[in-house]
Amino acid sequence: MSDRTPAGQFLDAAIDLLRRVRDEEADSIAAAGALLADTVADGGRLFAFGAGHSSLAAQDLVYRAGGLALMNLLAVPGVVGVDVMPAPLGSALERVDGLASAVLDSSPLRAGDALLIISLSGRNALPVEMALSARALGVKVIGVTSVAYASETTSRHSSGTYLKDHCDLVLDSKIAVGDAELTHDKVPAPFAPASTVVTSALLQAVMATTAATLADRGVEPPLLRSGNVDGGHDWNARVMERYGDRIFYRY
């Protein structure tokens, strides 16, 4: 029997989106996993970027149990999360031309690296410029976005283009424009966003593919273990010592 409570409706909506991602993005997920595996095997480094709530999915990939040790957060001051005060400043910074180029100029990214750019709408200047500038450096770019925004909104980049237009690969989260899954006859605005849970699951599917692809090629994937299991800290210390020149989240 279907659960018609708001909680049940939201969870059903999220599950439906995850099924769509599984079924419709399978080839793109496989290609993204292969691209990241190629990068790791060839000595490249991995980076993830997202602004505002999209940063949550990027942060979820960095320094975590079961994750790839080589995944680094590309942080842009003021847009990493909602801890910036006032919070609307982060949204305003996403529309500033030139910010992405300035960040990349002072970042460790170089040709041969791979960058995941996460932006639900893909319409703001920051992710578009980030993709353009990174590819100009010789960095492979994987965009994680809702492709629907490109046909239902106006670009905020001077080129009139979207994140999806400047990527080596695009992963479509399938999130509807507005990012709200539920409505109620007594609530004037739609509510219950699903982008975080769907985008995080999509990205973890890519990470799983990357690890398995490396293993299938005879390369041990540089994975971290939980520090809350016996031996976890020692394991992680060995991984970080081996790959220290490709890890930028430690001193």
Side-chain angles (χ1 to χ4, degrees):
M1 181 179 294
S2 178
D3 181 354
R4 302 311 297 168
T5 66
Q9 289 178 308
F10 173 75
L11 291 171
D12 284 345
I15 290 167
D16 287 345
L17 284 163
L18 289 170
R19 287 193 177 114
R20 285 191 63 196
V21 166
R22 179 195 64 193
D23 297 341
E24 298 173 21
E25 295 299 299
D27 290 344
S28 296
I29 290 170
L35 187 156
L36 295 184
D38 289 343
T39 303
V40 171
D42 293 341
R45 295 85 59 81
L46 308 179
F47 295 83
F49 164 76
H53 286 94
S54 290
S55 180
L56 297 176
Q59 293 178 56
D60 189 51
L61 300 176
V62 179
Y63 185 56
R64 70 160 305 143
L68 293 169
L70 305 191
M71 184 61 71
N72 301 277
L73 184 67
L74 181 63
V76 176
V79 304
V80 174
V82 294
D83 57 336
V84 62
M85 295 297 288
L89 176 61
S91 298
L93 289 173
E94 291 185 61
R95 299 192 289 273
V96 174
D97 290 332
L99 181 56
S101 296
V103 169
L104 288 176
D105 286 345
S106 60
S107 79
L109 262 87
R110 66 189 185 193
D113 292 344
L115 172 62
L116 288 154
I117 301 178
I118 305 151
S119 173
L120 177 60
S121 72
R123 69 187 296 220
N124 287 313
L126 183 56
V128 175
E129 183 185 333
M130 187 75 75
L132 276 164
S133 300
R135 293 184 83 192
L137 292 173
V139 173
K140 295 293 186 181
V141 173
I142 299 173
V144 186
T145 187
S146 170
V147 172
Y149 275 82
S151 60
E152 299 182 39
T153 67
T154 302
S155 171
R156 290 174 173 154
H157 188 258
S158 57
S159 67
T161 60
Y162 297 78
L163 169 62
K164 73 175 187 63
D165 299 317
H166 305 287
C167 300
D168 296 280
L169 286 170
V170 175
L171 299 171
D172 185 2
S173 64
K174 315 296 181 181
I175 299 296
V177 174
D179 192 18
E181 295 300 319
L182 301 185
T183 59
H184 191 287
D185 57 5
K186 295 181 179 178
V187 179
F191 57 99
S195 61
T196 302
V197 64
V198 174
T199 302
S200 290
L202 174 54
L203 286 167
Q204 290 300 344
V206 172
M207 297 303 108
T209 304
T210 302
T213 300
L214 285 167
D216 290 343
R217 296 177 182 178
V219 178
E220 181 180 341
L223 297 169
L224 296 172
R225 290 190 172 186
S226 171
N228 295 314
V229 300
D230 291 343
H233 287 300
D234 291 338
W235 172 280
N236 293 341
R238 289 192 294 271
V239 170
M240 289 189 184
E241 181 179 2
R242 178 177 178 182
Y243 295 99
D245 61 335
R246 299 157 77 179
I247 295 172
F248 300 95
Y249 51 79
R250 65 173 196 166
Y251 292 107

